Amino acid sequence: GGDSTVSITVVGASGDLAKKKIFPALFALFYEDCLPEHFTVFGYARSKMTDEELRTMVSKTLTCRIDKRENCSEKMDQFLKRCFYHSGQYDSKEHFTELDKKLKEHEGGRVSNRLFYLSIPPNIFVDAVRCASSSASSTNGWTRVIVEKPFGRDSESSAALTRNLKEYLEEDQIFRIDHYLGKELVENLSVLRFSNLIFEPLWSRQYIRNVQLIFSEDFGTEGRGGYFDHYGIIRDIMQNHLLQILALFAMETPVSLDAEDIRNEKVKVLRSMKPLQLEDVVIGQYKSHARGGISYPGYTDDKTVPKDSLTPTFAAAALFIDNARWDGVPFLMKAGKALNTKRAEIRVQFRHVPGNLYNRSFGTDLDRATNELVIRVQPDEAIYLKINNKVPGLGMRLDRSNLNLHYAARYSKEIPDAYERLLLDAIEGERRLFIRSDELDAAWALFSPALKELEEKKIIPEYYPYGSRGPVGAHYLAARYNVRWGDLG
Ligand code: BG6
C-alpha cells in the first residue's frame, strides 16, 4: 500500500548466490511490477564498498530475461537507484544498528516491513539472526528472515539450529528456502494431480509400480569443494530437493491450498516413510577422465577437497512409504554431479495392463510396454506420457509414443526463475513453498541414520568417470526392486 515500505537486506551481498540469483530475481520482480511501490534493497557484507560499487557489481548479473524490451536499461537504472550498501560484521549488533538507522531514513516514517535474506555460511546464521533481530527488526510492521540450506548436517545439528533461530524469531518469521519448490514444474505437480481426473485415481500402489526422482548435472563441484566435501550429494540434493518433490508427489489431498494445510500433508507423508537403510543406498564419486583431448578433473583433484575424501558426489537410494496408498512401491532417487547430462525429472512407471490382449505384440519385454509419465523439471520443461499405439499400416504392430506437453512449444512466456517466485512469496507472506521446522525434522530423520553409518563405516564410493552415466551399482539397486531407470532408455 501507499504508506508501507519493504526493505530487503541481502546479508552476504557479495557472495555467489546473491550475485547470481538474489539480485537478478529482485530485478526481474521489479521489472514485472511485482515489488511494492516503496521498496529498498540493501546489500550487507563485511567488505568496504560504496553504494555505487554495489550497483556496479549487481548490474553485471542483471539481465532482461523477458525479450529485449526497449525500456530494459531504463528499468535497470531505476532498480539500481533503489539499491544501497552497508558494510558490517555479521555478529555486530552495532553494525546492524547502523543499518537500522539507514533503513529508517529510507522508510521515511511509513510502516516498515523488513526482509533479511541470509546468504552467508551456516556457521554465522545464528549470530546474524541474533544481531539483525535485536538491532534491525521492524517496530511497526513485519520482520522476516530467509535462510537457505544447509540446515545442519544431521538431525541433531539441524534441531540445534532450529532451536537457536527460535530464540530470536517466531517460526512464522523464518522462511526456509528449498529452491526446487519454486520451480515451475514442481509447483505444477499438485495441479497435475488434483485438477485432472485421469491422474489422481491412478496415484497409488494399485496402478503405480515405482516412482523415480532423478537429478543429474554435467559438471563437478569445482570451486565449491570446501562446502561440498562437508555435506556430500545426499545432503546437498536428496534430503531436500528430491525429498520435497517426493512429498508433494505422494502426499494426500490437502484440505485446501493454504500453506498450513499443504505442509501438514507433506509432513504426514514424510513421517510415514521408513528411514533409508544402508543396503538401499549406493554411493559414487567421480574421478578424472580425458575425453576429446580435454582432461576433466576428478573430485579429489580439487585443492579444497582432501585427497582421501570419501564424500559421495553420486548416490542412488530406494525409499518406501508405509501407508495405505504407497505400501511396497519403491521410490527411487538418483542424484549425481559430473555425469553425462544435466537434468531433473520425475518418472512414474505404471503397472502392466492385466490380461493385456496385446501382450504378444510386445515380445518378451513387457516392462517397456507399460505407461510412463515423465515430468521434466529442467531443462526444457515438459510433461509427457508414454502410451502404446498401433503403428499405422495393415499389420498389428505396437510402439510407444509420447503424448507431449512441451512447454516451449505450448507457452510463449518465459518461465521465471525459482528465486523470483520464492522472494515474491516471502514478501507477500505466502508460506506454502517454504519448509516448516517439523518438515525439516522429518526429512532429517529419514537420512541421518544411513548418513551416520556410511561415514562411520567409511564406505568406499564407487568411482565413475567424469561425464559418464554414473556407477553401475545404481542399476543393481534398482534391479533388486525390479526397476529399470527410465532415463537410461
Ligand atoms: C543447490 C545445490 O541446492 O542446487 C547445488 O547445492 C546444485 O549443488 C543446485 O548445483 C542445483 O540447482 P539448479 O536450480 O541449478 O538445478
Side-chain angles (χ1 to χ4, degrees):
D3 50 3
S4 71
T5 62
V6 174
S7 311
I8 303 154
T9 304
V10 182
V11 183
S14 40
D16 238 29
L17 181 74
K19 284 194 279 198
K20 284 196 192 138
K21 295 290 184 183
I22 305 172
F23 290 114
L26 287 170
F27 171 62
L29 290 174
F30 175 72
Y31 192 102
E32 297 271 291
D33 291 326
C34 292
L35 292 183
E37 185 186 343
H38 301 289
F39 79 93
T40 310
V41 177
F42 259 88
Y44 186 108
R46 282 172 308 187
S47 45
K48 294 266 176 270
M49 222 193 288
T50 62
D51 292 341
E52 265 322 306
E53 282 165 334
L54 174 88
R55 289 171 188 158
T56 307
M57 182 193 88
V58 166
S59 69
K60 288 189 183 131
T61 53
L62 300 188
T63 53
C64 289
R65 198 167 42 66
I66 312 104
D67 296 327
K68 282 144 216 90
R69 281 197 231 156
E70 290 109 49
N71 64 349
C72 185
S73 65
E74 198 182 302
K75 280 280 205 182
M76 271 190 197
D77 288 341
Q78 290 170 5
F79 175 76
L80 290 170
K81 281 201 192 109
R82 308 276 199 105
C83 294
F84 302 87
Y85 184 74
H86 185 71
S87 148
Q89 298 295 326
Y90 299 122
D91 58 355
S92 160
K93 287 195 183 181
E94 233 181 288
H95 295 167
F96 276 96
T97 304
E98 291 162 15
L99 173 74
D100 180 65
K101 258 197 170 130
K102 288 191 185 170
L103 291 178
K104 283 209 176 88
E105 279 166 30
H106 285 276
E107 290 161 356
R110 297 186 183 87
V111 172
S112 114
N113 295 308
R114 295 183 179 178
L115 179 64
F116 292 88
Y117 197 127
L118 298 194
S119 174
I120 48 177
N123 58 326
I124 48 179
F125 273 178
V126 178
D127 278 333
V129 166
R130 178 172 51 83
C131 298
S133 68
S134 63
S135 306
S137 276
S138 162
T139 48
N140 58 4
W142 50 254
T143 302
R144 297 179 186 143
V145 178
I146 297 181
V147 284
E148 283 240 21
K149 73 160 206 293
F151 305 122
R153 55 190 307 287
D154 53 23
S155 291
E156 290 74 40
S157 51
S158 169
L161 176 65
T162 301
R163 258 195 326 274
N164 291 335
L165 291 180
K166 285 189 183 173
E167 269 185 49
Y168 309 104
L169 299 169
E170 299 296 328
E171 172 68 19
D172 70 1
Q173 294 182 281
I174 308 173
F175 287 68
R176 296 181 192 82
I177 279 202
D178 183 311
H179 79 284
Y180 265 62
L181 292 181
K183 293 197 188 262
E184 188 63 42
L185 271 75
V186 177
E187 258 260 271
N188 188 57
L189 248 182
S190 296
V191 178
L192 187 73
R193 258 187 89 180
F194 298 124
S195 78
N196 291 293
L197 183 69
I198 62 160
F199 293 117
E200 177 55 21
L202 304 184
W203 226 249
S204 75
R205 65 191 303 277
Q206 214 181 336
Y207 299 106
I208 291 178
R209 252 191 318 157
N210 67 76
V211 180
Q212 306 178 10
L213 304 151
I214 300 171
F215 168 97
S216 73
E217 279 180 340
D218 54 2
F219 47 87
T221 58
E222 300 92 350
R224 55 201 288 269
Y227 152 80
F228 194 87
D229 200 62
H230 195 51
Y231 293 94
I233 198 81
I234 297 177
R235 294 183 179 93
D236 190 47
I237 303 292
M238 279 189 176
Q239 183 267 354
N240 33 72
H241 303 330
L242 296 187
L243 190 64
Q244 283 298 320
I245 294 177
L246 187 155
L248 282 176
F249 181 95
M251 70 183 182
E252 297 299 313
T253 314
V255 174
S256 77
L257 292 175
D258 283 356
E260 298 320 318
D261 287 334
I262 292 176
R263 297 190 296 183
N264 287 344
E265 293 308 327
K266 282 169 66 198
V267 82
K268 219 166 82 189
V269 77
L270 292 175
R271 290 182 49 218
S272 308
M273 292 174 70
K274 274 204 267 289
L276 175 64
Q277 303 296 301
L278 196 59
E279 69 262 25
D280 282 335
V281 56
V282 168
I283 57 171
Q285 189 187 86
Y286 67 88
K287 57 180 187 192
S288 67
H289 182 61
R291 198 163 21 106
I294 303 172
S295 161
Y296 295 88
Y299 174 65
T300 54
D301 294 336
D302 187 329
K303 289 200 171 33
T304 56
V305 172
K307 281 275 160 272
D308 56 355
S309 170
L310 299 176
T311 300
T313 58
F314 175 98
L319 290 149
F320 294 88
I321 304 173
D322 283 337
N323 67 13
R325 187 187 286 268
W326 297 114
D327 193 5
V329 178
F331 283 79
L332 288 156
M333 288 183 179
K334 186 163 74 164
K337 301 257 175 196
L339 294 171
N340 61 334
T341 169
K342 176 166 166 53
R343 192 186 309 171
E345 63 187 14
I346 308 163
R347 287 180 172 261
V348 188
Q349 296 188 341
F350 290 90
R351 291 193 184 279
H352 302 272
V353 175
N356 192 339
L357 285 175
Y358 292 97
N359 268 357
R360 266 189 300 149
S361 323
F362 297 119
T364 51
D365 199 358
L366 282 181
D367 273 2
R368 286 191 185 275
T370 56
N371 297 121
E372 186 173 17
L373 174 68
V374 182
I375 298 163
R376 191 161 66 222
V377 175
Q378 66 184 37
D380 201 17
E381 292 80 353
I383 301 172
Y384 55 98
L385 179 63
K386 298 194 175 185
I387 61 159
N388 298 303
N389 203 53
K390 180 178 166 305
V391 179
L394 297 177
M396 178 52 74
R397 246 182 2 98
L398 305 194
D399 74 358
R400 285 183 104 191
S401 298
N402 289 344
L403 295 180
N404 195 352
L405 171 55
H406 184 208
Y407 273 54
R410 174 71 183 85
Y411 300 105
S412 54
K413 194 160 166 47
E414 269 217 50
I415 293 177
D417 188 73
Y419 284 89
E420 293 168 34
R421 189 187 316 273
L422 293 167
L423 275 160
L424 184 59
D425 280 358
I427 292 168
E428 293 182 342
E430 166 60 75
R431 293 172 178 81
R432 189 165 39 95
L433 301 180
F434 296 90
I435 313 295
R436 214 166 60 185
S437 69
D438 55 348
E439 278 185 84
L440 181 62
D441 291 345
W444 275 120
L446 294 176
F447 287 96
S448 278
L451 283 164
K452 189 158 181 248
E453 248 186 293
L454 279 170
E455 281 152 22
E456 277 175 6
K457 294 187 174 154
K458 296 197 189 325
I459 304 287
I460 314 267
E462 205 176 311
Y463 296 96
Y464 61 97
Y466 194 118
S468 68
R469 293 175 151 205
V472 290
H475 296 275
Y476 294 123
L477 174 66
R480 284 228 325 263
Y481 295 104
N482 260 318
V483 177
R484 178 150 43 185
W485 292 105
D487 61 326
L488 301 178

